[in-house]
Amino acid sequence: MSASTSLADLAHAEWVRQALAEFAAADTPAQLENAKARFLGKAGVVTEAMKSLAALTPDERKARGAAINAAKQQIEAALAARRQALAESELERQLAAEALDLTLPGRRRGQGTIHPISRAAERIEAIFASMGFDVAEGPEVETDWYSFTALNNPENHPARSMQDTFYVDLKDAEGRWLNLRPHTSPMQIRYARQHVEAHRDLIARGGRMPDIRVIAPGRTYRVDSDATHSPMFHQVEGLWVGQDVSFKDLKVVYLEFIQAFFETRELSLRFRPSYFPFTEPSAEIDIRFEAGPLAGRWLEVSGAGQVHPQVIRNYGLDPEQYIGFAFGSGIDRLAMLRYGVNDLRAFFEGDLRFLAQFR
Ligand code: PHE
């Protein structure tokens, strides 16, 4: 081997060494292709060396050429190996990024809960249903007649101001403004008239109409807003009409209901004289817990009374033959007492931190 050949060999070995180092340092395909261009590209070291062969003698060219080719093959092999390594690590990176951790807990669907007011209403319905009461619902937008006049509360009567009513910008067939019912009492009229209609023939023959026994829960509205009043609130109306019903029946039923609702027998009732146009006599029902955090205080929960003869007439019945007892209780009030909530507005603000407590 001539001296010039061995020098060239050294130079070729140096290219290979440098190329391997640069390929190894390339972290991305783009960096690798740039490095490749420096050795194997058009103006790369190897290509330039090939071009310079033309100036050599045939013998020199043969020896030099063989050495350059050997170096070129080594560089190409190193390039292919590095390309594959980069492709593999890219695949691994992608797989790792897409990996599913099957040991993670599943994601729960946010499931709602029954609103505490609905829950209270459902309890009330179940308790009265167990005592043989029907459950009825009716419209929230009412006519003047159902909300007031039929309930013996005529136009311009001062008792109308007991309920600061919302009116709707629409008139009924008689030309009177519709209202957002300020109480569930219109349901007394609606339900009783249907019941009477359903037994019209029997009544006409002088037969005995089955008693009306119904509750009517639902939304009610008044212009009122503070910690214990909301412009939209809930009431449950109760009505029992028959031929020999008495105040005693109302009292027994209500006591049974309230003790079942609060799940305690240590609870007393008090009927306090009051006034409603549609009952005579009228009463407020107060309750008192004998034990627990609310013990000893009388708490007002309901209006009640014997149905006024004029209202019995408006049911389509003869007040000489039929007698009725009615009550109207605040569902929100009962829910507040049962769940220990002291601001009524919390029920209607939709704050999940509050509502989730009733799960
Ligand atoms: N409707 C009355 C109110 O809203 C309550 C009531 C109902 C009173 C039935 C007597 C009889 O205050």
Side-chain angles (χ1 to χ4, degrees), residues 31-328:
Q31 285 171 6
L32 182 60
E33 296 314 309
N34 282 339
K36 172 207 155 182
R38 282 195 288 281
F39 296 92
L40 304 173
K42 268 190 195 151
V45 188
V46 176
T47 319
E48 291 297 332
M50 292 288 206
K51 286 181 197 161
S52 69
L53 290 179
L56 302 181
T57 65
D59 281 351
E60 280 175 330
R61 197 185 300 153
K62 195 174 172 191
R64 230 16 237 283
I68 293 171
N69 254 331
K72 190 184 173 193
Q73 277 166 22
Q74 285 181 63
I75 292 170
E76 279 173 346
L79 176 67
R82 186 62 187 151
R83 271 188 185 143
Q84 172 146 14
L86 282 184
E88 272 167 15
S89 69
E90 170 62 13
L91 182 64
E92 254 162 53
R93 195 195 59 76
Q94 276 179 17
L95 287 175
E98 288 165 14
L100 296 180
D101 183 349
L102 299 180
T103 66
L104 280 176
R107 258 179 231 141
R108 257 171 221 281
R109 183 116 71 85
Q111 235 185 12
T113 57
I114 306 241
H115 191 280
I117 298 296
S118 303
R119 192 179 282 247
E122 282 173 10
R123 279 183 71 76
I124 293 168
E125 289 168 24
I127 295 165
F128 277 104
S130 79
M131 294 193 282
F133 279 70
D134 196 4
V135 178
E137 277 182 41
E140 293 169 29
V141 177
E142 266 297 8
T143 65
D144 200 80
W145 192 75
Y146 280 113
S147 283
F148 302 110
T149 310
L151 291 162
N152 196 38
N153 196 346
E155 224 168 340
N156 302 320
H157 191 284
R160 284 207 177 191
S161 64
M162 284 169 79
Q163 298 161 340
D164 225 334
T165 311
F166 286 110
Y167 285 88
V168 178
D169 199 3
L170 277 176
K171 287 181 175 176
D172 64 19
E174 272 126 47
R176 298 208 161 75
W177 298 111
L178 296 176
N179 60 78
L180 294 184
R181 64 179 182 188
H183 53 180
T184 43
S185 300
M187 280 306 290
Q188 287 185 29
I189 308 292
R190 286 185 177 276
Y191 187 91
R193 287 173 75 87
Q194 263 187 22
H195 185 92
V196 169
E197 178 60 27
H199 298 93
R200 200 162 48 135
D201 295 345
L202 178 74
I203 296 167
R205 274 186 273 115
R208 194 190 160 116
M209 177 193 81
D211 285 5
I212 292 170
R213 229 184 273 142
V214 66
I215 61 159
R219 276 187 280 270
T220 46
Y221 303 84
R222 284 183 206 176
V223 185
D224 219 348
S225 187
D226 59 40
T228 53
H229 297 88
S230 152
M232 186 282 302
F233 60 107
H234 300 81
Q235 282 194 339
V236 55
E237 195 79 8
L239 180 64
W240 188 348
V241 180
Q243 293 197 335
D244 40 38
V245 189
S246 77
F247 234 114
K248 183 189 72 188
D249 297 305
L250 172 65
K251 203 162 182 175
V252 166
V253 161
Y254 206 86
L255 182 64
E256 191 59 34
F257 154 63
I258 210 78
Q259 292 188 341
F261 183 81
F262 288 107
E263 295 176 280
T264 176
R265 292 272 168 210
E266 292 182 85
L267 215 168
S268 324
L269 280 194
R270 171 173 86 176
F271 282 64
R272 184 162 42 84
S274 185
Y275 171 79
F276 298 100
F278 34 91
T279 45
E280 180 58 33
S282 301
E284 300 288 347
I285 305 179
D286 299 337
I287 61 172
R288 191 180 72 188
F289 294 91
E290 308 303 345
L294 295 166
R297 277 196 291 143
W298 285 107
L299 308 159
E300 187 180 314
V301 291
S302 190
Q306 180 182 329
V307 178
H308 191 284
Q310 184 54 44
V311 177
I312 296 278
R313 248 175 246 123
N314 292 338
Y315 293 164
L317 293 171
D318 176 3
E320 296 298 323
Q321 284 187 55
Y322 289 91
I323 183 167
F325 291 87
F327 63 84

